Amino acid sequence: MIKSLFTIGTAAALCLSISACGTTEVTPNPDYETYISQGEVFKHLSLTDIHGQTINLRDQPSKKLVILFATWCSDSQRLFQQLNASKLIEDKTLTILAIGREENTDTLTQFAQEYNVTFPLISDEKRTIYSQYANKGVPRLILLDEKNRVVNTLIGETDNIIEQVMWN
């Protein structure tokens, strides 16, 4: 009996740690740190996507949604599904791009096919980009204005994070 309870408890703890993509809690971890604040200029204004295309955010006269994510993360997967079902995906005044933390071109290409991703994906295999914006936890959303200043940052571990994406 005790062995069964231990097995069940261990399995439950494992499920919680897997489902939250970087934390053992279902709600966003209070230990998460974000290294960029409202009003600051986004540090990476020129990025290269998985197809070798350069994305220069200085040339984009629109608001931007930058997503930091991991393909294996259930919260990231849910975010992409919600994004595809939202009006944001059709907004011509919005530039969307996503940066795959510890992801390579192959994993991002497969993810793009599975999740019908139509916007640029950027590989960040060594966490070079991610580590400048956060200490842990994915997905992360960074909302930028037309001048690439941070409007808001969100941790996407909640069910309907897309509903919180607003520039006003």
Side-chain angles (χ1 to χ4, degrees):
M1 177 68 172
I2 292 174
K3 187 175 180 181
S4 291
L5 289 174
F6 177 77
T7 303
I8 291 169
T10 302
L14 179 61
C15 287
L16 281 175
S17 68
I18 291 171
S19 68
C21 304
T23 179
T24 56
E25 300 174 18
V26 175
T27 57
N29 186 325
D31 295 329
Y32 286 173
E33 294 180 31
T34 302
Y35 303 140
I36 192 164
S37 302
Q38 188 173 6
E40 289 184 66
V41 174
F42 192 71
K43 299 169 186 160
H44 292 84
L45 298 177
S46 182
L47 298 159
T48 303
D49 74 7
I50 60 174
H51 303 293
Q53 300 296 312
T54 300
I55 296 99
N56 190 339
L57 296 181
R58 289 181 197 96
D59 296 341
Q60 306 291 324
S62 59
K63 57 191 178 196
K64 291 117 185 142
L65 173 59
V66 178
I67 303 166
L68 305 172
F69 78 105
T71 61
W72 53 265
C73 172
S74 61
D75 294 323
S76 293
Q77 294 165 1
R78 181 181 60 241
L79 169 69
F80 278 82
Q81 290 168 339
Q82 291 173 357
L83 182 58
N84 282 336
S86 76
K87 292 181 181 182
L88 292 173
I89 204 75
E90 299 169 9
D91 186 346
K92 301 296 183 204
T93 67
L94 176 64
T95 298
I96 303 173
L97 62 95
I99 301 167
R101 184 187 81 179
E102 297 174 359
E103 301 288 349
N104 62 41
T105 300
D106 292 337
T107 60
L108 291 175
T109 299
Q110 181 178 355
F111 186 83
Q113 292 170 351
E114 288 177 24
Y115 287 87
N116 195 31
V117 178
T118 59
F119 47 84
L121 295 178
I122 290 92
S123 173
D124 186 21
E125 283 188 78
K126 297 181 181 177
R127 290 176 84 140
T128 306
I129 300 169
Y130 178 86
S131 65
Q132 293 188 36
Y133 299 102
N135 67 334
K136 56 185 171 180
V138 286
R140 295 286 190 125
L141 292 82
I142 303 173
L143 287 65
L144 306 175
D145 67 11
E146 294 82 357
K147 295 182 180 178
N148 301 307
R149 290 182 306 236
V150 175
V151 173
N152 197 6
T153 60
L154 301 167
I155 299 172
E157 293 179 349
T158 56
D159 282 340
N160 295 310
I161 194 66
I162 289 298
E163 294 174 6
Q164 297 178 41
V165 175
M166 292 179 262
W167 279 262
N168 301 347

